[in-house]
Amino acid sequence: MKKEFKMVAGWVMSVLGIQNFAKDNDGKLFLTAEQEQTLKEKYGEKFVEGFKADLSKMEVDGEQVNLTLSAEERLELDASRKEVGTLKAQIEEMKKAEADFKATIAKLEKQPAGQQGQQVTVSELEKKAIAAGVDLSLKHNRFLVDYLQGKVSAAYSGDSTIDTQELKKEFGKYVASNRLEILKGLFGQTESTQYMSTIITDKTEVRANQASVVGTVLQQFVPKWTPSGAAKFTPLTIRNFKCKINVPIIPSDIMEDILGYMYDEQASQLQPMPVVRYILFQLIFPKLDEEREQALALGRFKELEPDEHGNYTASKPTETMDGYLTQLIDLYAERETEGSKGSSLRWLQVGQQIDPAQKNVRTIIDAAVKEVADKYPLYAKKAMKVHIDPVLADAYRREYLEEYKWLKNQDGTHKNDIDFSNFEFAEMEGMRGTGCFFITPKENFKHLMSHNPQNVTLRFQEVDYEVKIFGEWWEGTGFWMGEAIFAYISPAAATKYAKPAADGDNAGGEGDGI
């Protein structure tokens, strides 16, 4: 089932107040007459007919098709519900403004120029910009449109081109109209979070409970209640951290960047980009994704203390949260302590130093995978990712192709799977250069996000010629239970990223390495 239809189906079920749709004798899902009427009154006949057609295509074998939304989908649906009223009103307002504008254009174009002026004409580019909600009364938007049309009036005038009060007006309108897209930009999927399962919570920390793990189910019949014993597991605590961005921007300094971007992207063939969107999606979010990736992997939270004047210094990105690899390294350090959480993990190739220069990467990884299959047969056939330093993944492929030269680039793709296993590489950019890898099911690798997207804030403040952008959200990462983690920690990484012995520097060994 396509995600798009699943989201629509989830929306419809929430409107109708049902848990699933009815099923006919042929196993097809359908709407009742009462449900059809309710939807027609809200969304019109055209929507209902299209939805019925898609719904009838859903194959059902035995039980009804599962339309339960994932955590990420619930987040999107919740945000969409709360904003739909506002968006509908804005759309209607824009449609009315567009209609009035077109009527004015048509009227003015038919009138001859008078002695005091000239005939008014509006270009297709301006029409597109206005239809897209770009406010051409704002000086910076007017400048961009004129520039794209090659008008002489498009003269760049430094600070006077962008009025911070006008930018504030545009910021508020843009954020209100594009909140869901901005939320995705703030804490959207990174290279590593695609391999995690999401927990939506407002708790500051979570951990696995008995209900999370099912033990044995099958047993011999006896006429007494004999509950099955639960599988032994060690729950690991996952902390949630409040993160923020504080970004100062001098708008007049970025006008040249915006013009260059539009030139490179051939924006003149499309329409002007709002300056607010450029600031968020070209300046802030790409850098935020890069720094989140580093923090999620190698972060080590450091409680900031004010100086003697009560002022704080901005933290490093890697001081905002505890990363999944630093958590593993801390557990590795206590692996030999009986009864510790570190002793519950499955440590692979302990003491072996993996080194691409020594060309032993493939030997160690293949031995680690075989170790999992031999010692833990329940996991041997389970499809799992080998979450790995990209340097090691590349070295593994090079060594493989050196041995099997006749296979080189036959299909034009990289080799990501590992022979004689169901495991394949998942390259984690945040782990680059660490020389580490670990194997665990996706359901055991967790990403914490805020339960309420409305708690995610994005604010704007102007001071003279500078604007300040503020954003806050909650995020964390970690693992559910120790026994489902198979990890190789290189001796070098165990030293370099070790937990500080005291409350001194945040980085252990040689530093945080980023």
Side-chain angles (χ1 to χ4, degrees):
M1 180 189 302
K2 290 184 177 180
K3 177 183 176 183
E4 292 80 1
F5 178 75
K6 189 176 180 182
M7 291 292 292
V8 173
W11 181 285
V12 169
M13 285 192 292
S14 67
V15 170
L16 297 175
I18 60 176
Q19 296 297 316
N20 216 319
F21 296 100
K23 180 178 64 172
D24 63 19
N25 294 332
D26 296 325
K28 301 291 185 182
L29 302 179
F30 71 96
L31 293 171
T32 65
E34 183 180 355
Q35 291 168 350
E36 281 190 41
Q37 185 59 35
T38 299
L39 293 177
K40 284 179 182 179
E41 291 174 359
K42 286 182 173 290
Y43 305 114
E45 188 169 349
K46 185 176 180 180
F47 168 81
V48 174
E49 293 304 315
F51 181 78
K52 284 170 57 182
D54 289 339
L55 186 64
S56 67
K57 297 175 184 176
M58 295 297 102
E59 295 293 338
V60 180
D61 184 13
E63 297 298 324
Q64 290 183 332
V65 65
N66 181 16
L67 291 169
T68 302
L69 300 179
S70 67
E72 294 93 334
E73 291 165 341
R74 288 200 308 273
L75 177 66
E76 293 185 24
L77 186 58
D78 183 57
S80 299
R81 278 201 200 102
K82 293 179 180 179
E83 294 168 17
V84 69
T86 302
L87 291 175
K88 280 183 177 180
Q90 290 173 346
I91 290 171
E92 291 302 318
E93 184 180 340
M94 288 173 61
K95 285 181 178 179
K96 184 178 182 303
E98 182 181 2
D100 293 343
F101 182 73
K102 287 181 177 179
T104 302
I105 291 173
K107 180 180 178 181
L108 293 174
E109 286 181 337
K110 293 177 183 179
Q111 295 178 357
Q115 292 182 350
Q116 303 300 320
Q118 57 185 10
Q119 186 171 346
V120 176
T121 59
V122 179
S123 69
E124 288 300 317
L125 183 63
E126 290 171 302
K127 292 177 183 178
K128 285 183 179 180
I130 294 170
V134 177
D135 188 348
L136 294 184
S137 69
L138 305 181
K139 285 185 289 186
H140 54 270
N141 288 333
R142 182 76 259 173
F143 164 73
L144 293 175
V145 169
D146 289 347
Y147 178 86
L148 291 175
Q149 297 180 114
K151 291 186 177 181
V152 178
S153 61
Y156 177 67
S157 55
D159 294 335
S160 64
T161 302
I162 293 187
D163 184 304
T164 54
Q165 286 291 330
E166 290 188 342
L167 189 58
K168 181 178 181 179
K169 175 182 177 183
E170 184 175 64
F171 185 92
K173 182 178 180 181
Y174 185 84
V175 170
S177 302
N178 300 274
R179 182 170 178 79
L180 184 56
E181 183 185 19
I182 290 171
L183 290 177
K184 290 180 178 179
L186 271 175
F187 51 79
Q189 192 175 80
T190 69
E191 219 169 330
S192 61
T193 57
Q194 64 179 308
Y195 302 117
M196 306 177 194
S197 54
T198 302
I199 297 178
I200 303 295
T201 181
D202 284 329
K203 297 178 180 178
T204 55
E205 62 179 43
V206 297
R207 56 182 288 170
N209 52 43
Q210 185 61 48
S212 303
V213 180
V214 177
T216 58
V217 177
L218 179 65
Q219 58 177 293
Q220 185 186 72
F221 174 79
V222 292
K224 294 288 184 180
W225 169 250
T226 54
S228 299
K232 178 182 181 300
F233 73 98
T234 304
L236 303 176
T237 300
I238 308 174
R239 296 178 65 191
N240 214 359
F241 299 89
K242 191 167 188 180
C243 308
K244 73 170 184 174
I245 56 171
N246 287 167
V247 183
I249 298 286
I250 299 178
S252 60
D253 288 350
I254 65 170
M255 285 305 293
E256 293 92 343
D257 295 334
I258 296 175
L259 294 175
Y261 174 82
M262 290 195 300
Y263 176 82
D264 291 339
E265 299 296 318
Q266 297 183 337
S268 59
Q269 304 301 316
L270 305 172
Q271 61 194 29
M273 171 186 287
V275 172
V276 170
R277 179 176 175 81
Y278 177 84
I279 292 173
L280 293 176
F281 286 87
Q282 301 304 319
L283 298 184
I284 297 178
F285 291 163
K287 184 64 176 175
L288 178 62
D289 285 348
E290 176 185 318
E291 293 179 345
R292 282 178 63 225
E293 188 66 34
Q294 294 173 348
L296 286 165
L298 289 171
R300 190 177 288 285
F301 180 73
K302 180 179 181 180
E303 191 76 47
L304 294 180
E305 298 292 339
D307 61 19
E308 63 273 18
H309 304 295
N311 298 320
Y312 289 88
T313 302
S315 67
K316 299 176 183 177
T318 48
E319 294 173 344
T320 58
M321 66 181 75
D322 290 335
Y324 54 81
L325 187 57
T326 44
Q327 291 176 51
L328 290 180
I329 288 172
D330 291 348
L331 291 167
Y332 181 76
E334 59 180 56
R335 67 191 182 282
E336 295 179 351
T337 303
E338 187 176 351
S340 69
K341 291 184 178 180
S343 65
S344 69
L345 276 67
R346 325 295 195 179
W347 301 107
L348 306 172
Q349 299 293 292
V350 176
Q352 296 293 319
Q353 179 60 62
I354 198 167
D355 184 1
Q358 299 298 319
K359 296 188 176 181
N360 64 355
V361 175
R362 185 170 166 237
T363 299
I364 290 179
I365 291 177
D366 285 352
V369 169
K370 187 175 185 302
E371 191 176 342
V372 174
D374 291 347
K375 291 186 178 180
Y376 312 102
L378 288 177
Y379 290 92
K381 292 299 181 182
K382 185 174 179 62
M384 292 192 291
K385 300 292 186 184
V386 179
H387 308 86
I388 190 169
D389 170 358
V391 176
L392 296 187
D394 187 56
Y396 182 98
R397 288 188 287 262
R398 289 177 184 276
E399 291 179 20
Y400 190 93
L401 293 176
E402 280 184 19
E403 183 172 350
Y404 302 103
K405 293 181 173 62
W406 59 90
L407 297 176
K408 188 173 183 179
N409 240 7
Q410 277 192 346
D411 58 1
T413 60
H414 294 301
K415 177 178 173 59
N416 280 329
D417 60 318
I418 299 173
D419 290 345
F420 310 110
S421 78
N422 282 340
F423 302 164
E424 65 177 7
F425 291 140
E427 297 181 40
M428 314 289 274
E429 191 58 37
M431 290 172 57
R432 180 175 290 276
T434 62
C436 300
F437 63 87
F438 64 91
I439 307 167
T440 196
K442 183 174 183 178
E443 54 268 30
N444 196 50
F445 194 9
K446 299 297 186 181
H447 178 220
L448 270 54
M449 291 172 56
S450 176
H451 183 273
N452 185 359
Q454 302 303 318
N455 289 339
V456 179
T457 62
L458 192 65
R459 296 178 287 114
F460 178 101
Q461 183 182 95
E462 82 285 352
V463 180
D464 299 325
Y465 292 117
E466 183 180 77
V467 298
K468 298 177 180 179
I469 297 175
F470 304 80
E472 296 97 33
W473 71 98
W474 286 83
E475 189 168 21
T477 185
F479 302 92
W480 212 225
M481 60 179 179
E483 286 78 5
I485 304 171
F486 308 87
Y488 167 80
I489 303 297
S490 71
T495 301
K496 183 174 184 177
Y497 303 105
K499 187 176 183 179
D503 57 355
D505 277 335
N506 181 42
E510 301 174 22
D512 60 16
I514 294 179

